[in-house]
mmCIF file of all heavy atoms in Angstrom:
data_model
loop_
_atom_site.group_PDB
_atom_site.id
_atom_site.type_symbol
_atom_site.label_atom_id
_atom_site.label_comp_id
_atom_site.label_asym_id
_atom_site.label_seq_id
_atom_site.Cartn_x
_atom_site.Cartn_y
_atom_site.Cartn_z
ATOM 1 N N THR F 23 -0.812 9.167 -0.157
ATOM 2 C CA THR F 23 -1.884 9.729 -0.964
ATOM 3 C C THR F 23 -2.437 8.654 -1.895
ATOM 4 O O THR F 23 -1.841 7.594 -2.099
ATOM 5 C CB THR F 23 -1.380 10.918 -1.811
ATOM 6 O OG1 THR F 23 -0.348 10.459 -2.679
ATOM 7 C CG2 THR F 23 -0.861 12.040 -0.928
ATOM 8 N N LYS F 24 -3.607 8.972 -2.473
ATOM 9 C CA LYS F 24 -4.205 8.087 -3.469
ATOM 10 C C LYS F 24 -3.334 8.024 -4.715
ATOM 11 O O LYS F 24 -3.263 6.974 -5.385
ATOM 12 C CB LYS F 24 -5.603 8.623 -3.819
ATOM 13 C CG LYS F 24 -6.357 7.813 -4.853
ATOM 14 C CD LYS F 24 -6.774 6.471 -4.330
ATOM 15 C CE LYS F 24 -7.600 5.711 -5.350
ATOM 16 N NZ LYS F 24 -7.978 4.356 -4.885
ATOM 17 N N PHE F 25 -2.669 9.121 -5.045
ATOM 18 C CA PHE F 25 -1.820 9.181 -6.228
ATOM 19 C C PHE F 25 -0.686 8.168 -6.165
ATOM 20 O O PHE F 25 -0.246 7.637 -7.191
ATOM 21 C CB PHE F 25 -1.263 10.605 -6.380
ATOM 22 C CG PHE F 25 -0.262 10.774 -7.474
ATOM 23 C CD1 PHE F 25 -0.667 10.858 -8.801
ATOM 24 C CD2 PHE F 25 1.095 10.852 -7.190
ATOM 25 C CE1 PHE F 25 0.263 11.010 -9.815
ATOM 26 C CE2 PHE F 25 2.024 10.999 -8.204
ATOM 27 C CZ PHE F 25 1.607 11.080 -9.518
ATOM 28 N N SER F 26 -0.181 7.882 -4.957
ATOM 29 C CA SER F 26 0.983 7.002 -4.825
ATOM 30 C C SER F 26 0.613 5.524 -4.839
ATOM 31 O O SER F 26 1.507 4.675 -4.865
ATOM 32 C CB SER F 26 1.724 7.324 -3.525
ATOM 33 O OG SER F 26 0.890 7.066 -2.397
ATOM 34 N N GLU F 27 -0.675 5.181 -4.827
ATOM 35 C CA GLU F 27 -1.063 3.771 -4.793
ATOM 36 C C GLU F 27 -0.647 3.038 -6.061
ATOM 37 O O GLU F 27 -0.265 1.868 -6.021
ATOM 38 C CB GLU F 27 -2.572 3.657 -4.580
ATOM 39 C CG GLU F 27 -3.023 4.032 -3.179
ATOM 40 C CD GLU F 27 -4.512 3.837 -2.989
ATOM 41 O OE1 GLU F 27 -5.177 3.386 -3.957
ATOM 42 O OE2 GLU F 27 -5.014 4.129 -1.898
ATOM 43 N N LYS F 28 -0.717 3.734 -7.210
ATOM 44 C CA LYS F 28 -0.302 3.074 -8.456
ATOM 45 C C LYS F 28 1.200 2.794 -8.463
ATOM 46 O O LYS F 28 1.650 1.839 -9.118
ATOM 47 C CB LYS F 28 -0.690 3.941 -9.650
ATOM 48 C CG LYS F 28 -0.016 5.301 -9.683
ATOM 49 C CD LYS F 28 -0.469 6.106 -10.895
ATOM 50 C CE LYS F 28 0.219 7.471 -10.935
ATOM 51 N NZ LYS F 28 -0.228 8.272 -12.116
ATOM 52 N N HIS F 29 1.976 3.594 -7.722
ATOM 53 C CA HIS F 29 3.416 3.352 -7.638
ATOM 54 C C HIS F 29 3.698 2.062 -6.882
ATOM 55 O O HIS F 29 4.442 1.189 -7.371
ATOM 56 C CB HIS F 29 4.102 4.524 -6.940
ATOM 57 C CG HIS F 29 3.936 5.826 -7.658
ATOM 58 N ND1 HIS F 29 4.103 7.043 -7.030
ATOM 59 C CD2 HIS F 29 3.634 6.112 -8.940
ATOM 60 C CE1 HIS F 29 3.904 8.013 -7.899
ATOM 61 N NE2 HIS F 29 3.603 7.477 -9.057
ATOM 62 N N THR F 30 3.148 1.947 -5.687
ATOM 63 C CA THR F 30 3.411 0.749 -4.883
ATOM 64 C C THR F 30 2.777 -0.494 -5.508
ATOM 65 O O THR F 30 3.320 -1.592 -5.391
ATOM 66 C CB THR F 30 2.887 0.947 -3.456
ATOM 67 O OG1 THR F 30 1.494 1.295 -3.504
ATOM 68 C CG2 THR F 30 3.630 2.070 -2.762
ATOM 69 N N GLN F 31 1.644 -0.329 -6.166
ATOM 70 C CA GLN F 31 0.990 -1.481 -6.784
ATOM 71 C C GLN F 31 1.828 -2.041 -7.921
ATOM 72 O O GLN F 31 1.786 -3.251 -8.193
ATOM 73 C CB GLN F 31 -0.396 -1.063 -7.308
ATOM 74 C CG GLN F 31 -1.313 -2.230 -7.622
ATOM 75 C CD GLN F 31 -1.665 -3.063 -6.405
ATOM 76 O OE1 GLN F 31 -1.694 -2.563 -5.277
ATOM 77 N NE2 GLN F 31 -1.913 -4.339 -6.629
ATOM 78 N N SER F 32 2.621 -1.197 -8.583
ATOM 79 C CA SER F 32 3.484 -1.687 -9.662
ATOM 80 C C SER F 32 4.589 -2.598 -9.141
ATOM 81 O O SER F 32 5.175 -3.364 -9.918
ATOM 82 C CB SER F 32 4.087 -0.502 -10.419
ATOM 83 O OG SER F 32 4.952 0.253 -9.581
ATOM 84 N N PHE F 33 4.889 -2.542 -7.829
ATOM 85 C CA PHE F 33 5.850 -3.458 -7.215
ATOM 86 C C PHE F 33 5.137 -4.672 -6.599
ATOM 87 O O PHE F 33 5.679 -5.783 -6.621
ATOM 88 C CB PHE F 33 6.655 -2.744 -6.130
ATOM 89 C CG PHE F 33 7.664 -1.765 -6.651
ATOM 90 C CD1 PHE F 33 7.341 -0.434 -6.806
ATOM 91 C CD2 PHE F 33 8.943 -2.177 -6.991
ATOM 92 C CE1 PHE F 33 8.268 0.479 -7.279
ATOM 93 C CE2 PHE F 33 9.884 -1.272 -7.478
ATOM 94 C CZ PHE F 33 9.539 0.060 -7.626
ATOM 95 N N ILE F 34 3.957 -4.447 -6.038
ATOM 96 C CA ILE F 34 3.251 -5.538 -5.354
ATOM 97 C C ILE F 34 2.805 -6.617 -6.336
ATOM 98 O O ILE F 34 2.888 -7.821 -6.046
ATOM 99 C CB ILE F 34 2.053 -4.970 -4.573
ATOM 100 C CG1 ILE F 34 2.546 -4.092 -3.417
ATOM 101 C CG2 ILE F 34 1.174 -6.083 -4.031
ATOM 102 C CD1 ILE F 34 1.432 -3.391 -2.669
ATOM 103 N N GLU F 35 2.326 -6.215 -7.505
ATOM 104 C CA GLU F 35 1.816 -7.190 -8.469
ATOM 105 C C GLU F 35 2.878 -8.181 -8.916
ATOM 106 O O GLU F 35 2.652 -9.409 -8.868
ATOM 107 C CB GLU F 35 1.195 -6.451 -9.659
ATOM 108 C CG GLU F 35 -0.106 -5.731 -9.317
ATOM 109 C CD GLU F 35 -0.655 -4.971 -10.502
ATOM 110 O OE1 GLU F 35 0.021 -4.936 -11.566
ATOM 111 O OE2 GLU F 35 -1.761 -4.399 -10.378
ATOM 112 N N PRO F 36 4.072 -7.759 -9.363
ATOM 113 C CA PRO F 36 5.080 -8.774 -9.724
ATOM 114 C C PRO F 36 5.595 -9.550 -8.518
ATOM 115 O O PRO F 36 6.005 -10.713 -8.661
ATOM 116 C CB PRO F 36 6.196 -7.949 -10.378
ATOM 117 C CG PRO F 36 6.004 -6.560 -9.884
ATOM 118 C CD PRO F 36 4.534 -6.396 -9.685
ATOM 119 N N PHE F 37 5.571 -8.948 -7.338
ATOM 120 C CA PHE F 37 6.011 -9.651 -6.134
ATOM 121 C C PHE F 37 5.071 -10.803 -5.814
ATOM 122 O O PHE F 37 5.517 -11.930 -5.550
ATOM 123 C CB PHE F 37 6.070 -8.659 -4.967
ATOM 124 C CG PHE F 37 6.702 -9.222 -3.722
ATOM 125 C CD1 PHE F 37 8.079 -9.154 -3.532
ATOM 126 C CD2 PHE F 37 5.935 -9.824 -2.732
ATOM 127 C CE1 PHE F 37 8.664 -9.668 -2.390
ATOM 128 C CE2 PHE F 37 6.506 -10.337 -1.590
ATOM 129 C CZ PHE F 37 7.887 -10.260 -1.414
ATOM 130 N N GLU F 38 3.772 -10.549 -5.833
ATOM 131 C CA GLU F 38 2.808 -11.617 -5.551
ATOM 132 C C GLU F 38 2.762 -12.634 -6.680
ATOM 133 O O GLU F 38 2.507 -13.824 -6.444
ATOM 134 C CB GLU F 38 1.424 -11.022 -5.309
ATOM 135 C CG GLU F 38 1.296 -10.293 -3.983
ATOM 136 C CD GLU F 38 -0.139 -9.982 -3.636
ATOM 137 O OE1 GLU F 38 -0.955 -9.826 -4.575
ATOM 138 O OE2 GLU F 38 -0.468 -9.894 -2.443
ATOM 139 N N ALA F 39 2.985 -12.185 -7.916
ATOM 140 C CA ALA F 39 3.006 -13.143 -9.025
ATOM 141 C C ALA F 39 4.176 -14.115 -8.901
ATOM 142 O O ALA F 39 4.074 -15.280 -9.310
ATOM 143 C CB ALA F 39 3.086 -12.392 -10.351
ATOM 144 N N ALA F 40 5.279 -13.657 -8.317
ATOM 145 C CA ALA F 40 6.461 -14.508 -8.191
ATOM 146 C C ALA F 40 6.396 -15.422 -6.975
ATOM 147 O O ALA F 40 6.874 -16.564 -7.026
ATOM 148 C CB ALA F 40 7.716 -13.640 -8.136
ATOM 149 N N PHE F 41 5.814 -14.957 -5.883
ATOM 150 C CA PHE F 41 5.870 -15.715 -4.629
ATOM 151 C C PHE F 41 4.503 -16.222 -4.178
ATOM 152 O O PHE F 41 4.425 -17.228 -3.483
ATOM 153 C CB PHE F 41 6.499 -14.857 -3.524
ATOM 154 C CG PHE F 41 7.898 -14.440 -3.836
ATOM 155 C CD1 PHE F 41 8.177 -13.169 -4.292
ATOM 156 C CD2 PHE F 41 8.956 -15.332 -3.703
ATOM 157 C CE1 PHE F 41 9.470 -12.777 -4.580
ATOM 158 C CE2 PHE F 41 10.254 -14.958 -3.992
ATOM 159 C CZ PHE F 41 10.511 -13.675 -4.442
ATOM 160 N N GLY F 42 3.422 -15.550 -4.522
ATOM 161 C CA GLY F 42 2.093 -16.029 -4.175
ATOM 162 C C GLY F 42 1.927 -16.223 -2.674
ATOM 163 O O GLY F 42 2.184 -15.312 -1.881
ATOM 164 N N ASP F 43 1.554 -17.429 -2.285
ATOM 165 C CA ASP F 43 1.348 -17.759 -0.864
ATOM 166 C C ASP F 43 2.564 -18.456 -0.260
ATOM 167 O O ASP F 43 2.437 -19.266 0.672
ATOM 168 C CB ASP F 43 0.103 -18.651 -0.705
ATOM 169 C CG ASP F 43 -1.164 -17.940 -1.151
ATOM 170 O OD1 ASP F 43 -1.185 -16.696 -1.087
ATOM 171 O OD2 ASP F 43 -2.121 -18.623 -1.576
ATOM 172 N N ARG F 44 3.721 -18.191 -0.759
ATOM 173 C CA ARG F 44 4.934 -18.836 -0.254
ATOM 174 C C ARG F 44 5.133 -18.503 1.213
ATOM 175 O O ARG F 44 5.042 -17.347 1.633
ATOM 176 C CB ARG F 44 6.133 -18.382 -1.080
ATOM 177 C CG ARG F 44 7.452 -18.974 -0.636
ATOM 178 C CD ARG F 44 8.570 -18.534 -1.573
ATOM 179 N NE ARG F 44 9.865 -18.966 -1.095
ATOM 180 C CZ ARG F 44 11.008 -18.739 -1.748
ATOM 181 N NH1 ARG F 44 10.981 -18.097 -2.908
ATOM 182 N NH2 ARG F 44 12.151 -19.161 -1.244
ATOM 183 N N GLU F 45 5.425 -19.493 1.993
ATOM 184 C CA GLU F 45 5.596 -19.309 3.440
ATOM 185 C C GLU F 45 6.893 -18.553 3.723
ATOM 186 O O GLU F 45 7.937 -18.821 3.130
ATOM 187 C CB GLU F 45 5.613 -20.674 4.130
ATOM 188 C CG GLU F 45 5.614 -20.589 5.642
ATOM 189 C CD GLU F 45 5.553 -21.953 6.292
ATOM 190 O OE1 GLU F 45 5.462 -22.952 5.547
ATOM 191 O OE2 GLU F 45 5.615 -22.015 7.536
ATOM 192 N N GLY F 46 6.812 -17.597 4.638
ATOM 193 C CA GLY F 46 7.974 -16.808 5.013
ATOM 194 C C GLY F 46 8.160 -15.557 4.194
ATOM 195 O O GLY F 46 9.087 -14.787 4.456
ATOM 196 N N VAL F 47 7.305 -15.334 3.197
ATOM 197 C CA VAL F 47 7.376 -14.135 2.353
ATOM 198 C C VAL F 47 5.980 -13.505 2.337
ATOM 199 O O VAL F 47 4.976 -14.199 2.140
ATOM 200 C CB VAL F 47 7.841 -14.476 0.925
ATOM 201 C CG1 VAL F 47 7.911 -13.211 0.077
ATOM 202 C CG2 VAL F 47 9.199 -15.169 0.955
ATOM 203 N N GLN F 48 5.922 -12.192 2.510
ATOM 204 C CA GLN F 48 4.624 -11.532 2.604
ATOM 205 C C GLN F 48 4.705 -10.094 2.105
ATOM 206 O O GLN F 48 5.792 -9.542 1.903
ATOM 207 C CB GLN F 48 4.138 -11.524 4.055
ATOM 208 C CG GLN F 48 5.021 -10.716 4.984
ATOM 209 C CD GLN F 48 4.494 -10.633 6.393
ATOM 210 O OE1 GLN F 48 3.418 -11.132 6.693
ATOM 211 N NE2 GLN F 48 5.253 -9.999 7.280
ATOM 212 N N VAL F 49 3.522 -9.510 1.922
ATOM 213 C CA VAL F 49 3.371 -8.103 1.568
ATOM 214 C C VAL F 49 2.648 -7.395 2.709
ATOM 215 O O VAL F 49 1.591 -7.856 3.166
ATOM 216 C CB VAL F 49 2.577 -7.931 0.254
ATOM 217 C CG1 VAL F 49 2.305 -6.455 -0.020
ATOM 218 C CG2 VAL F 49 3.330 -8.537 -0.911
ATOM 219 N N VAL F 50 3.200 -6.300 3.180
ATOM 220 C CA VAL F 50 2.582 -5.464 4.205
ATOM 221 C C VAL F 50 2.409 -4.064 3.628
ATOM 222 O O VAL F 50 3.372 -3.489 3.100
ATOM 223 C CB VAL F 50 3.426 -5.413 5.499
ATOM 224 C CG1 VAL F 50 2.823 -4.417 6.490
ATOM 225 C CG2 VAL F 50 3.512 -6.791 6.130
ATOM 226 N N GLN F 51 1.201 -3.535 3.715
ATOM 227 C CA GLN F 51 0.896 -2.200 3.197
ATOM 228 C C GLN F 51 0.628 -1.254 4.361
ATOM 229 O O GLN F 51 -0.103 -1.590 5.296
ATOM 230 C CB GLN F 51 -0.317 -2.246 2.267
ATOM 231 C CG GLN F 51 -0.069 -3.027 0.998
ATOM 232 C CD GLN F 51 -1.310 -3.125 0.130
ATOM 233 O OE1 GLN F 51 -2.031 -4.110 0.197
ATOM 234 N NE2 GLN F 51 -1.535 -2.112 -0.688
ATOM 235 N N LEU F 52 1.205 -0.064 4.266
ATOM 236 C CA LEU F 52 1.066 0.962 5.295
ATOM 237 C C LEU F 52 0.468 2.216 4.660
ATOM 238 O O LEU F 52 1.045 2.787 3.735
ATOM 239 C CB LEU F 52 2.419 1.280 5.930
ATOM 240 C CG LEU F 52 2.456 2.358 7.013
ATOM 241 C CD1 LEU F 52 1.553 2.003 8.173
ATOM 242 C CD2 LEU F 52 3.889 2.574 7.498
ATOM 243 N N ASN F 53 -0.692 2.618 5.158
ATOM 244 C CA ASN F 53 -1.385 3.810 4.667
ATOM 245 C C ASN F 53 -1.330 4.860 5.776
ATOM 246 O O ASN F 53 -1.858 4.641 6.873
ATOM 247 C CB ASN F 53 -2.840 3.481 4.314
ATOM 248 C CG ASN F 53 -3.511 4.602 3.540
ATOM 249 O OD1 ASN F 53 -3.080 5.759 3.596
ATOM 250 N ND2 ASN F 53 -4.570 4.274 2.815
ATOM 251 N N ILE F 54 -0.692 5.998 5.502
ATOM 252 C CA ILE F 54 -0.463 7.036 6.509
ATOM 253 C C ILE F 54 -1.207 8.295 6.118
ATOM 254 O O ILE F 54 -1.142 8.724 4.962
ATOM 255 C CB ILE F 54 1.041 7.339 6.664
ATOM 256 C CG1 ILE F 54 1.792 6.092 7.117
ATOM 257 C CG2 ILE F 54 1.270 8.479 7.651
ATOM 258 C CD1 ILE F 54 3.295 6.270 7.150
ATOM 259 N N GLU F 55 -1.899 8.887 7.077
ATOM 260 C CA GLU F 55 -2.551 10.181 6.870
ATOM 261 C C GLU F 55 -2.162 11.094 8.024
ATOM 262 O O GLU F 55 -2.545 10.856 9.164
ATOM 263 C CB GLU F 55 -4.075 10.033 6.799
ATOM 264 C CG GLU F 55 -4.798 11.324 6.488
ATOM 265 C CD GLU F 55 -4.200 12.042 5.291
ATOM 266 O OE1 GLU F 55 -4.305 11.522 4.164
ATOM 267 O OE2 GLU F 55 -3.594 13.118 5.494
ATOM 268 N N GLU F 56 -1.391 12.136 7.720
ATOM 269 C CA GLU F 56 -0.889 13.041 8.752
ATOM 270 C C GLU F 56 -1.836 14.198 9.032
ATOM 271 O O GLU F 56 -1.789 14.790 10.112
ATOM 272 C CB GLU F 56 0.472 13.591 8.333
ATOM 273 C CG GLU F 56 1.531 12.524 8.166
ATOM 274 C CD GLU F 56 2.879 13.083 7.784
ATOM 275 O OE1 GLU F 56 3.049 13.470 6.613
ATOM 276 O OE2 GLU F 56 3.760 13.145 8.662
ATOM 277 N N ASN F 57 -2.682 14.556 8.090
ATOM 278 C CA ASN F 57 -3.603 15.668 8.262
ATOM 279 C C ASN F 57 -4.859 15.189 8.975
ATOM 280 O O ASN F 57 -5.487 14.202 8.561
ATOM 281 C CB ASN F 57 -3.944 16.268 6.892
ATOM 282 C CG ASN F 57 -4.768 17.533 7.011
ATOM 283 O OD1 ASN F 57 -5.955 17.489 7.306
ATOM 284 N ND2 ASN F 57 -4.144 18.672 6.765
ATOM 285 N N TRP F 58 -5.269 15.895 10.041
ATOM 286 C CA TRP F 58 -6.409 15.422 10.844
ATOM 287 C C TRP F 58 -7.720 15.522 10.066
ATOM 288 O O TRP F 58 -8.620 14.681 10.241
ATOM 289 C CB TRP F 58 -6.507 16.234 12.140
ATOM 290 C CG TRP F 58 -6.788 17.696 11.930
ATOM 291 C CD1 TRP F 58 -5.891 18.692 11.771
ATOM 292 C CD2 TRP F 58 -8.082 18.303 11.842
ATOM 293 N NE1 TRP F 58 -6.525 19.894 11.584
ATOM 294 C CE2 TRP F 58 -7.870 19.692 11.633
ATOM 295 C CE3 TRP F 58 -9.393 17.829 11.924
ATOM 296 C CZ2 TRP F 58 -8.927 20.594 11.494
ATOM 297 C CZ3 TRP F 58 -10.441 18.726 11.789
ATOM 298 C CH2 TRP F 58 -10.205 20.090 11.582
ATOM 299 N N ALA F 59 -7.844 16.519 9.190
ATOM 300 C CA ALA F 59 -9.078 16.657 8.411
ATOM 301 C C ALA F 59 -9.196 15.529 7.387
ATOM 302 O O ALA F 59 -10.262 14.922 7.218
ATOM 303 C CB ALA F 59 -9.109 18.013 7.723
ATOM 304 N N LYS F 60 -8.072 15.220 6.713
ATOM 305 C CA LYS F 60 -8.093 14.113 5.758
ATOM 306 C C LYS F 60 -8.234 12.774 6.461
ATOM 307 O O LYS F 60 -8.760 11.817 5.877
ATOM 308 C CB LYS F 60 -6.818 14.136 4.917
ATOM 309 C CG LYS F 60 -6.692 15.339 4.006
ATOM 310 C CD LYS F 60 -5.410 15.276 3.210
ATOM 311 C CE LYS F 60 -5.246 16.487 2.301
ATOM 312 N NZ LYS F 60 -3.983 16.439 1.526
ATOM 313 N N ALA F 61 -7.767 12.697 7.703
ATOM 314 C CA ALA F 61 -7.909 11.453 8.454
ATOM 315 C C ALA F 61 -9.383 11.128 8.694
ATOM 316 O O ALA F 61 -9.788 9.958 8.635
ATOM 317 C CB ALA F 61 -7.165 11.563 9.786
ATOM 318 N N MET F 62 -10.197 12.147 8.945
ATOM 319 C CA MET F 62 -11.629 11.911 9.118
ATOM 320 C C MET F 62 -12.250 11.389 7.823
ATOM 321 O O MET F 62 -13.111 10.503 7.844
ATOM 322 C CB MET F 62 -12.307 13.208 9.561
ATOM 323 C CG MET F 62 -11.823 13.730 10.908
ATOM 324 S SD MET F 62 -12.522 15.329 11.337
ATOM 325 C CE MET F 62 -14.259 14.933 11.405
ATOM 326 N N VAL F 63 -11.817 11.932 6.689
ATOM 327 C CA VAL F 63 -12.320 11.457 5.396
ATOM 328 C C VAL F 63 -11.888 10.018 5.144
ATOM 329 O O VAL F 63 -12.663 9.189 4.649
ATOM 330 C CB VAL F 63 -11.840 12.387 4.265
ATOM 331 C CG1 VAL F 63 -12.294 11.876 2.913
ATOM 332 C CG2 VAL F 63 -12.342 13.803 4.500
ATOM 333 N N LEU F 64 -10.629 9.702 5.506
ATOM 334 C CA LEU F 64 -10.128 8.342 5.311
ATOM 335 C C LEU F 64 -10.905 7.340 6.159
ATOM 336 O O LEU F 64 -11.178 6.215 5.708
ATOM 337 C CB LEU F 64 -8.636 8.288 5.630
ATOM 338 C CG LEU F 64 -7.949 6.927 5.472
ATOM 339 C CD1 LEU F 64 -8.085 6.418 4.042
ATOM 340 C CD2 LEU F 64 -6.481 7.016 5.862
ATOM 341 N N GLN F 65 -11.263 7.717 7.363
ATOM 342 C CA GLN F 65 -12.057 6.821 8.204
ATOM 343 C C GLN F 65 -13.418 6.526 7.580
ATOM 344 O O GLN F 65 -13.927 5.403 7.671
ATOM 345 C CB GLN F 65 -12.228 7.435 9.594
ATOM 346 C CG GLN F 65 -10.955 7.439 10.420
ATOM 347 C CD GLN F 65 -11.155 8.080 11.783
ATOM 348 O OE1 GLN F 65 -12.169 8.708 12.041
ATOM 349 N NE2 GLN F 65 -10.171 7.933 12.648
#
């Protein structure tokens, strides 16, 4: 959900601040929409 983005962002920001473009370390974000009606809105 949109509500949970602030949760994950609170971890991503210090992670990127510590490692930046360091080779072998990365951030991968997964956005999941299980409802077909909301999936159309997300598209």
Side-chain angles (χ1 to χ4, degrees):
T23 60
K24 180 69 177 177
F25 174 77
S26 63
E27 289 183 1
K28 62 181 180 180
H29 299 160
T30 55
Q31 196 64 28
S32 65
F33 288 93
I34 293 175
E35 290 178 356
F37 188 88
E38 288 193 332
F41 299 102
D43 297 333
R44 179 176 174 178
E45 187 177 357
V47 180
Q48 64 176 357
V49 174
V50 174
Q51 294 177 264
L52 179 59
N53 192 338
I54 299 174
E55 184 49 67
E56 298 181 285
N57 187 285
W58 64 270
K60 294 180 181 179
M62 297 175 62
V63 177
L64 180 59
Q65 289 179 348

